Amino acid sequence: MHLAYPAVLSALLFCTGLYGVLARRNAILVLMSVELMLNAVNLNLVAFDVWLSRAAEETLHSGQALTLFTIAIAAAEIGIGLAIVLAVHRNRGTSDIDKLRDTAEGHEPDGPDTDIPATGTAAEKAEATA
């Protein structure tokens, strides 16, 4: 089998995942797209490892070992990411990324507050510290 077949498939999977990350607004779909991108990279690693092992006399299979490491990291990432998305969905009631821009609990309005009186001028503060 030629190297071009898995490389083209990997590129198509990666582009599909990239489109999903950039175009989707649901956090779970974004996580799924990131996993698709990671699987495309894993496919590329294994394909190049097999292709290089045919050319080399000593085969270390480092691409396959790196793929197993990547799968373990991806499993941890999806577990933590899904837990965060579920916690945010319980608190906010939505998993829409556009509506989750402000994640601080004590969100203040963007403009200055007129209800809070001024505590003093800079001269009074400097005199109080002196």
Side-chain angles (χ1 to χ4, degrees), residues 49-60:
D49 182 56
V50 169
W51 183 65
L52 289 175
S53 68
R54 289 181 185 169
E57 294 177 7
E58 299 177 8
T59 56
L60 296 176

Side-chain angles (χ1 to χ4, degrees), residues 10-115:
S10 175
L12 289 174
L13 284 174
F14 191 84
C15 289
T16 304
L18 184 65
Y19 173 75
V21 168
L22 295 177
R24 299 293 178 187
R25 296 295 173 228
N26 190 351
I28 295 176
L29 292 177
V30 170
L31 285 175
M32 289 173 58
S33 298
V34 169
E35 288 295 319
L36 192 63
M37 291 168 61
L38 286 173
N39 286 330
V41 170
N42 288 339
L43 177 64
N44 234 356
L45 284 171
V46 170
F48 274 98
D49 182 56
V50 169
W51 183 65
L52 289 175
S53 68
R54 289 181 185 169
E57 294 177 7
E58 299 177 8
T59 56
L60 296 176
H61 297 295
S62 58
Q64 292 180 14
L66 187 59
T67 298
L68 288 176
F69 180 71
T70 307
I71 289 171
I73 295 297
E77 174 258 335
I78 197 68
I80 293 171
L82 192 57
I84 291 171
V85 168
L86 287 175
V88 167
H89 187 269
R90 285 182 186 163
N91 289 336
R92 300 283 178 120
T94 183
S95 63
D96 190 8
I97 293 175
D98 289 335
K99 294 179 182 175
L100 299 177
R101 190 184 72 147
D102 302 321
T103 56
E105 289 184 26
H107 175 66
E108 298 178 7
D110 293 336
D113 292 334
T114 56
D115 298 338

